């Protein structure tokens, strides 16, 4: 899912966004920590795009009144992965998915999932990304 902005879904193609992130990172690699900053920013942009793709599918499946199906579990795992690794991801899972910090995802809570905002920009600091 991550970062394919091409109109053609060719698995062998590289999106313009991915190329620009790589190019920018290489171009400013002489500046201390600049390449890392580019990676963080590009990663957050791609995570937001993934979130915006997963969210409507998750809501559609949760509304089917079968939140323990494989599809819902898979979509919950994918949307959890869009949150920044570490404390943000744990907080996100606990607050929006199943109320747990760790362990296998087995019982997503419909009421918690429905609290997810449509746009991750509306997620409180510390639950999705700490940089933005």
């Amino acid at each position: 899912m991550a970062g394919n902005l091409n109109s053609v879904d060719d698995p062998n193609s590289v999106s313009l966004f991915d190329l620009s992130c790589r190019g920018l990172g290489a171009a400013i690699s002489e500046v201390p920590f600049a390449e890392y900053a580019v990676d963080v920013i590009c990663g957050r942009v791609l995570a937001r795009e993934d979130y915006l793709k997963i969210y409507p599918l998750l809501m559609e499946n949760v509304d089917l009144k079968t939140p323990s199906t494989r599809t819902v579990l898979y979509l919950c795992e994918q949307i959890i992965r869009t949150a920044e690794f570490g404390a943000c991801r744990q907080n996100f899972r606990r607050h929006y998915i199943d109320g747990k910090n760790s362990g296998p995802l087995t019982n997503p809570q419909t009421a918690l999932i429905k609290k997810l905002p449509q746009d991750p920009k509306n997620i409180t600091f510390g639950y999705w990304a700490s940089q933005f």
Side-chain angles (χ1 to χ4, degrees), residues 1-2 47 50-51 53-55 57-58 71-83 89 92 97 105 128:
M1 263 189 198
D50 288 347
Y51 182 99
K53 291 175 188 173
I54 297 166
Y55 175 83
L57 297 171
L58 179 59
T71 304
V72 172
L73 288 172
Y74 175 76
L75 292 171
C76 284
E77 288 172 359
Q78 295 309 307
I79 208 160
I80 289 169
R81 287 188 181 133
T82 65
R89 190 174 291 177
F92 179 87
I97 304 297
L105 180 63
W128 195 70

Side-chain angles (χ1 to χ4, degrees), residues 15 25 42 51 54 67 74 76 106 110 120-121:
S15 74
C42 289
Y51 182 99
I54 297 166
Y74 175 76
C76 284
T106 56
T110 304
K121 288 181 180 179

Side-chain angles (χ1 to χ4, degrees), residues 3-128:
N4 190 0
L5 299 179
N6 294 330
S7 59
V8 179
D9 290 329
D10 179 7
N12 296 317
S13 67
V14 177
S15 74
L16 181 60
F17 180 79
D18 289 338
L19 286 175
S20 63
C21 277
R22 289 182 194 154
L24 182 60
I28 62 173
S29 63
E30 297 300 317
V31 178
F33 301 109
E35 192 170 4
Y36 172 75
V38 169
D39 289 345
V40 168
I41 292 168
C42 289
R44 295 315 312 146
V45 169
L46 295 174
R48 182 175 181 273
E49 288 176 2
D50 288 347
Y51 182 99
L52 293 171
K53 291 175 188 173
I54 297 166
Y55 175 83
L57 297 171
L58 179 59
M59 290 301 130
E60 180 181 310
N61 281 282
V62 166
D63 286 339
L64 295 175
K65 307 292 184 213
T66 55
S68 61
T69 65
R70 285 186 187 186
T71 304
V72 172
L73 288 172
Y74 175 76
L75 292 171
C76 284
E77 288 172 359
Q78 295 309 307
I79 208 160
I80 289 169
R81 287 188 181 133
T82 65
E84 188 176 296
F85 185 78
C88 286
R89 190 174 291 177
Q90 291 176 348
N91 293 340
F92 179 87
R93 177 180 173 175
R94 185 181 67 245
H95 189 74
Y96 290 110
I97 304 297
D98 68 350
K100 291 194 231 175
N101 281 329
S102 62
L105 180 63
T106 56
N107 190 23
Q109 304 296 311
T110 304
L112 294 177
I113 294 169
K114 289 188 177 191
K115 289 167 58 173
L116 281 167
Q118 267 186 303
D119 192 329
K121 288 181 180 179
N122 298 327
I123 296 176
T124 305
F125 175 81
Y127 286 104
W128 195 70

